[in-house]
Amino acid sequence: MLWVAIIGLVMTVVAVAVAGRRALFLFKLATVGPPAPERVQYAKDNAGAEIKTQLVEVLGQKKLLKWTPSGVAHFFVMWAFFILLTVYIEAYGAIIQGAITGRPNFHIPLIGQWPVLGFLQDFIAVACLLGLVAFAVIRLRESPAKLGRGSRFSGSHLGGAWLVLFMIFNIIWTLFLARGAAAANGNLPYSSGAFVSIPLGQVLPASGLLEEIALLLHIGFMLVFLIIVVNSKHLHIFTAPLNVLFSRRPDGMGAVPEMRVDGKPVDFEDEDLDPERLGRGKIGDTTWKGFLDFYSCTECGRCQSQCPAWNTDKPLSPKMLIIDQRDHAFAVAPYLMAAANGGNGHEDTDVLALLNKPLVGEEGVIHPDVLWSCTNCGACVEQCPVDIEHIDHIIDMRRYQVMVESSFPSEAGVMVKNLENKGNPWGMSEMKRADWIAELDFEVELVEEKMPEDTEYLFWVGCAGALEDRAKKTTKAVAELLHIAGVKFAVLGPMEACTGDPARRLGMEYLFNMLAQQNIETLNEAGVKKIVATCPHCFNTLANEYPQLGGMFEVVHHTQLLAKLVDEGKLTPITPIEEKITYHDPCFLGRHNKVYSQPRDIMSKVPGVRTQEMHRHKDRGFCCGAGGARMWMEERIGKRINTERVDEALTTDPDTVSTACPFCMVMLGDAINEKKNSGEAKESLEVVDVAQLLIKSVKTPV
């Protein structure tokens, strides 16, 4: 078997060298951009949590198993890679031992003849084959040629996927051929347990040549597959664990990452700050974590299938957003790396134009309509099995467009001016922020300089809650419920300004910083410790983003506090509400902050209420269309997102649609009014906040 060992080892050295060269190229390409030291530091500081995440997400395949058929198939195919490493140890051992002794009967020390291992090897190989069949069926059934945009594989590199399935199939059948031939020659390490290999050996001829050829075929297909992996979307086999390791916690949502230059948070008061380095204008501005996202994308399309923009015929596909950047990065990689080393990369003007191609623009890598279609709902991040952070890419590109290029939808410009001049998106006087108090029949404390004595919560009313008529109803309901429950609270009134969420999500980081620092100073001077907010956007910003600027407060959403008060018996729903209600999960409350149960718990305690979930709910809930500063932009492409969501709500035949967000109330309310005008919805249908349902039941009717 000397010739087998020589050929096998030569093939291995060549394949590993080719794959290693590609790996070095990928590493160098990923490190041409700015650093991301905060990712490494977080992983170090939270090593225990990161180990658990690797066990749950990578080895346990938690996200993939949410999609049961494909998830189960992937689970077994992935574990086949791990478990069948023992078969390769046996294969290499066999060719080396065969060359030395003439008998390829190698077994792994200690465990190599254990029947359980033999059984496990055959079982996982069979499961892998069945997984390949499942993948093929899924791809044929959901083919873009058949379903068009409705296919989650639309836009993916389909040829590469089929090649990968074909190569894995070759690895598995040659595995059984090699093991069967070894069994026929008496060289299989297992006398029992290998329930496929042993019977196969009974029907194959006892041929040393067959065993040798089968071993070379098995090793050869594996080595060719290795080269294919590092040159294809299947690179995620190696990069996905790293991407999960360095992803944001808890799940890539919550707070938007701070804007950084050279790995350090941006100081907007720094006179030497180069404005061209704000955000991402070119592919070379991408951090190594961004490149890990590119490398890890499996093109599975789960993100695309859940995206509200894509589902309403808009050009944004989170998958294509990543793939297009990756393809562009590979196209300019040699010149990009040369430029990073101090040269121009190439004197050819066409090459330089490609190298400096803007990320966003009519002729850019990403079309502006793609960038501005995003609602920041987080559905893509929630569903991505390898923790790609699509929102971070979008926010970084928006930052460059807004602050460097001054290029963004014109309607958003009005919102920005209003925030700058009046501290709220509507441009209304700050003195109107306390007008709602006059409509109550009890006194609400206003903070003048310090929080009133014995006051437990600052009630953060928010711009919508103070200034938008529909949202004011929620504000008054929450205030009245807190009053009934004996919870002492106060409000800032005219001292309150927008948290800055619309500015930050638009990409206007400078304005966000200005508003946030102003609010943090106000809250700290007033001695605020605990905050209750009705708007999930305010809640998310105060709880998750203000700590980046030193604003450390205990923040709860009103549904969390009200659910607690109901559980404690401080609020008791009495009056029945005989209605069928469907609940809409606000994205920034649900997916971004994992508050799913409390609003539902409140409704379940209200007598008479019959709840009916929409098809898409909780972590797969569908956006209302207002997030990502879309509340202040016109929706000119495709179907309106709020209309799509209301169409889904109407399938439950509700008497009422409930939610827990003022933006959602406005968006869904507008769509319902349109449906009423066209006769598609009953006149009595309305959108209410969960707090409005609760106060209606808590108060005994006069």
Side-chain angles (χ1 to χ4, degrees):
M1 279 189 69
L2 180 61
W3 67 277
V4 177
I6 293 172
I7 293 175
L9 293 177
V10 168
M11 286 194 307
T12 302
V13 169
V14 171
V16 170
V18 172
R21 185 170 181 269
R22 176 67 174 181
L24 182 61
F25 161 80
L26 293 170
F27 174 79
K28 288 181 176 179
L29 177 59
T31 53
V32 298
E38 73 282 1
R39 302 299 186 123
V40 178
Q41 191 60 49
Y42 185 90
K44 287 180 179 178
D45 294 343
N46 298 273
E50 292 299 339
I51 291 171
K52 179 182 177 182
T53 302
Q54 291 290 318
L55 293 174
V56 171
E57 285 198 28
V58 178
L59 300 182
Q61 301 279 278
K62 178 183 177 182
K63 284 190 173 183
L64 274 163
L65 288 172
K66 291 180 180 179
W67 298 61
T68 307
S70 58
V72 171
H74 192 278
F75 180 87
F76 285 116
V77 172
M78 182 208 70
W79 272 99
F81 279 96
F82 295 139
I83 295 172
L84 295 182
L85 285 175
T86 59
V87 174
Y88 281 105
I89 294 173
E90 292 170 351
Y92 277 102
I95 63 172
I96 293 171
Q97 185 163 311
I100 296 172
T101 67
R103 184 74 187 276
N105 59 347
F106 173 84
H107 67 267
I108 301 171
L110 300 180
I111 62 169
Q113 294 178 303
W114 190 28
V116 173
L117 179 59
F119 171 82
L120 193 58
Q121 290 169 335
D122 277 14
F123 169 79
I124 202 67
V126 171
C128 181
L129 274 178
L130 295 175
L132 296 180
V133 172
F135 284 147
V137 170
I138 289 169
R139 285 192 168 271
L140 290 171
R141 190 182 62 199
E142 300 185 20
S143 166
K146 184 188 297 183
L147 302 180
R149 281 178 64 100
S151 167
R152 62 186 175 96
F153 302 117
S154 175
S156 298
H157 297 107
L158 303 176
W162 284 109
L163 176 61
V164 164
L165 293 181
F166 177 66
M167 289 305 300
I168 298 175
F169 169 73
N170 286 328
I171 289 171
I172 298 300
W173 77 258
T174 55
L175 175 146
F176 281 124
L177 179 63
R179 286 166 67 85
N185 293 324
N187 294 326
L188 188 71
Y190 311 100
S191 58
S192 63
F195 64 96
V196 176
S197 301
I198 293 173
L200 191 58
Q202 295 170 354
V203 299
L204 288 176
S207 167
L209 180 62
L210 177 62
E211 184 177 354
E212 292 166 353
I213 292 173
L215 276 172
L216 285 179
L217 278 174
H218 183 49
I219 290 172
F221 276 123
M222 180 272 292
L223 294 173
V224 172
F225 183 61
L226 172 64
I227 295 172
I228 290 173
V229 163
V230 295
N231 285 275
S232 71
K233 65 110 176 176
H234 243 64
L235 181 62
H236 76 274
I237 291 174
F238 301 116
T239 59
L242 292 174
N243 209 44
V244 171
L245 174 65
F246 294 117
S247 62
R248 290 200 287 116
R249 294 289 171 239
D251 54 10
M253 289 187 278
V256 168
E258 294 175 279
M259 179 180 287
R260 291 174 176 264
V261 171
D262 295 328
K264 299 176 182 177
V266 170
D267 179 3
F268 287 101
E269 295 181 2
D270 183 359
E271 294 180 357
D272 297 325
L273 178 64
D274 180 2
E276 287 289 333
R277 304 190 67 188
L278 299 177
R280 289 173 55 209
K282 299 187 296 295
I283 198 68
D285 299 329
T286 307
T287 67
W288 57 261
K289 176 56 177 68
F291 275 95
L292 263 184
D293 281 350
F294 300 160
Y295 297 165
S296 300
C297 181
T298 70
E299 302 183 25
C300 66
R302 286 169 173 80
C303 58
Q304 180 174 287
S305 70
Q306 301 299 301
C307 177
W310 183 260
N311 276 280
T312 52
D313 297 324
K314 295 171 181 61
L316 169 62
S317 159
K319 175 185 70 179
M320 297 307 299
L321 180 91
I322 299 299
I323 292 175
D324 288 345
Q325 291 181 85
R326 181 184 68 194
D327 291 350
H328 174 62
F330 285 153
V332 302
Y335 318 114
L336 194 61
M337 290 188 289
N341 291 327
N344 288 328
H346 205 285
E347 297 302 322
D348 190 322
T349 54
D350 291 338
V351 169
L352 290 175
L354 183 64
L355 183 60
N356 293 309
K357 186 176 183 178
L359 267 182
V360 180
E362 297 286 343
E363 303 298 327
V365 180
I366 307 297
H367 193 278
D369 288 339
V370 170
L371 189 69
W372 297 112
S373 293
C374 179
T375 65
N376 282 201
C377 72
C380 49
V381 181
E382 173 74 35
Q383 294 299 329
C384 181
V386 294
D387 284 7
I388 291 172
E389 295 157 347
H390 312 79
I391 292 177
D392 292 3
H393 288 264
I394 288 169
I395 292 291
D396 264 352
M397 286 186 274
R398 284 186 174 187
R399 285 167 170 168
Y400 186 87
Q401 291 302 299
V402 172
M403 291 190 289
V404 180
E405 297 289 332
S406 295
S407 175
F408 52 94
S410 57
E411 320 91 67
V414 177
M415 179 266 289
V416 169
K417 288 179 181 177
N418 288 336
L419 287 177
E420 290 172 339
N421 299 328
K422 295 293 185 180
N424 67 79
W426 287 280
M428 298 174 71
S429 169
E430 63 270 17
M431 299 311 296
K432 290 185 174 292
R433 283 186 175 271
D435 285 357
W436 60 273
I437 297 175
E439 301 172 28
L440 298 174
D441 57 6
F442 58 91
E443 184 179 350
V444 173
E445 293 270 13
L446 267 174
V447 177
E448 294 181 0
E449 291 183 2
K450 294 288 184 181
M451 285 281 283
E453 193 174 345
D454 297 329
T455 302
E456 185 176 3
Y457 286 97
L458 175 82
F459 179 11
W460 187 274
V461 179
C463 301
L467 304 172
E468 206 281 327
D469 288 340
R470 285 168 284 191
K472 281 185 190 178
K473 296 177 182 178
T474 303
T475 303
K476 290 183 286 186
V478 171
E480 196 164 359
L481 287 164
L482 295 180
H483 177 69
I484 292 170
V487 176
K488 292 188 176 181
F489 68 95
V491 298
L492 289 175
M495 293 170 59
E496 185 181 293
C498 178
T499 59
D501 167 81
R504 181 167 239 196
R505 299 286 164 170
L506 181 73
M508 184 63 81
E509 189 74 8
Y510 170 76
L511 180 55
F512 165 74
N513 272 32
M514 183 181 76
L515 291 166
Q517 287 170 355
Q518 172 188 327
N519 283 323
I520 291 170
E521 184 178 349
T522 299
L523 293 167
N524 284 336
E525 287 181 354
V528 173
K529 302 297 181 185
K530 298 167 72 174
I531 301 173
V532 57
T534 54
C535 175
H537 298 263
C538 296
F539 165 58
N540 181 70
T541 307
L542 291 164
N544 299 323
E545 301 189 335
Y546 276 22
Q548 295 173 347
L549 300 172
M552 309 300 291
F553 311 102
E554 182 184 332
V555 189
V556 297
H557 188 255
H558 74 278
T559 56
Q560 293 175 302
L561 180 56
L562 295 179
K564 178 173 175 284
L565 294 174
V566 171
D567 287 342
E568 292 173 349
K570 295 179 180 178
L571 292 172
T572 306
I574 298 173
T575 306
I577 299 177
E578 301 292 345
E579 292 181 2
K580 185 179 181 182
I581 298 175
T582 189
Y583 176 72
H584 164 80
D585 287 284
C587 300
F588 276 73
L589 183 63
R591 268 191 297 267
H592 282 270
N593 286 284
K594 303 298 176 280
V595 179
Y596 295 118
S597 62
Q598 290 91 332
R600 291 172 169 84
D601 290 345
I602 292 171
M603 290 191 294
S604 70
K605 300 290 177 62
V606 176
V609 166
R610 292 167 290 122
T611 57
Q612 175 66 54
E613 294 282 12
M614 285 182 258
H615 173 65
R616 293 181 283 207
H617 63 280
K618 293 188 176 179
D619 61 350
R620 291 201 188 183
F622 199 76
C623 184
C624 74
R630 288 289 329 171
M631 179 85 168
W632 291 275
M633 299 182 220
E634 290 298 325
E635 200 169 338
R636 297 186 175 91
I637 303 174
K639 184 178 182 180
R640 293 180 67 88
I641 293 174
N642 59 342
T643 302
E644 173 72 13
R645 185 54 165 168
V646 164
D647 282 342
E648 186 168 355
L650 292 177
T651 63
T652 68
D653 189 28
D655 299 309
T656 298
V657 176
S658 69
T659 188
C661 171
F663 289 4
C664 294
M665 283 185 67
V666 170
M667 299 297 284
L668 299 180
D670 287 348
I672 284 175
N673 288 336
E674 289 178 4
K675 294 294 180 181
K676 287 180 181 179
N677 292 335
S678 63
E680 297 175 69
K682 49 193 174 188
E683 282 298 320
S684 59
L685 182 63
E686 61 177 347
V687 185
V688 300
D689 190 278
V690 171
Q692 292 173 258
L693 291 172
L694 183 59
I695 191 64
K696 187 176 176 182
S697 182
V698 166
K699 290 180 69 176
T700 304
V702 178

